[in-house]
Amino acid sequence: MTRTEAPPRTDVPRGLREQAARYHLLPLRLFLGVTFVYAGLDKLFDPAFLSASGDGSIGDLMRGVRDTSAIPALVDLSLEAPVGFAVFLAVAEILVGLGTLVGLLSRTAAVGGALISLSLWLTVSWAVTPYYYGNDLIYLMAWTPLILAGAPYLSLDSEIRSRRSRRTA
């Protein structure tokens, strides 16, 4: 052992440490996947949200944040067809969430989740002060490890990879 190496830990069983290292992204995958599926379903089944105007509508929400958003043109684009935009957003959230939960095209799903979070941060929660009270920036950062690592375990991606390698071997 060199001077810079930490001594091996003896207080945690070796197998438990290996399991924790192997599945460390699973809680994040589950949280983001469930949250995005829930958010998408919540939007799809809320008739007030799927309206161009009125209390709780996507139209009123977007008009309310237009002047304080970082990218008003993006808000204007959503206001051209607010109900279509709301349905698109809801379906995208559901697809991202399901892809994350089952680990199918997991990096692509994570990029989609990050893009949704980025667009919501730059529009809906841009004016929240201090910035750390707005949750969209936190979600954007939470997607980053899944973009980098994907879903290497307990995922359809890993099952597909495993089957391909068995076929080529």
Side-chain angles (χ1 to χ4, degrees):
M1 179 167 69
T2 65
R3 266 189 103 152
T4 58
E5 283 183 47
R9 291 193 53 182
T10 58
D11 59 333
V12 179
R14 181 179 173 93
L16 185 58
R17 277 184 294 177
E18 289 170 358
Q19 292 295 329
R22 184 177 208 188
Y23 299 113
H24 66 283
L25 289 177
L26 192 56
L28 184 61
R29 268 182 57 204
L30 292 173
F31 172 74
L32 290 172
V34 167
T35 300
F36 268 58
V37 168
Y38 178 78
L41 290 174
D42 191 40
K43 287 174 180 67
L44 278 182
F45 291 109
D46 182 356
F49 184 78
L50 294 177
S51 298
S53 61
D55 287 341
S57 69
I58 184 68
D60 279 5
L61 172 67
M62 298 313 282
R63 280 187 288 279
V65 300
R66 190 219 178 268
D67 294 334
T68 59
S69 74
I71 308 175
L74 188 58
V75 177
D76 291 340
L77 184 62
S78 72
L79 284 170
E80 288 182 22
V83 176
F85 172 73
V87 170
F88 172 78
L89 177 61
V91 170
E93 286 175 335
I94 292 168
L95 291 175
V96 163
L98 289 175
T100 302
L101 282 173
V102 301
L104 181 62
L105 300 172
S106 53
R107 283 193 171 109
T108 303
V111 168
L115 288 173
I116 290 169
S117 298
L118 176 64
S119 66
L120 292 174
W121 175 55
L122 292 173
T123 56
V124 177
S125 45
W126 183 254
V128 173
T129 57
Y131 75 92
Y132 50 83
Y133 281 168
N135 63 351
D136 295 311
L137 179 59
I138 296 165
Y139 280 105
L140 173 61
M141 294 299 110
W143 285 110
T144 305
L146 297 179
I147 292 171
L148 296 172
Y153 299 105
L154 298 176
S155 67
L156 291 176
D157 287 346
S158 65
E159 183 63 28
I160 291 167
R161 235 182 347 268
S162 174
R163 288 180 187 215
R164 281 184 185 158
S165 64
R166 279 186 292 215
R167 256 189 272 147
T168 58

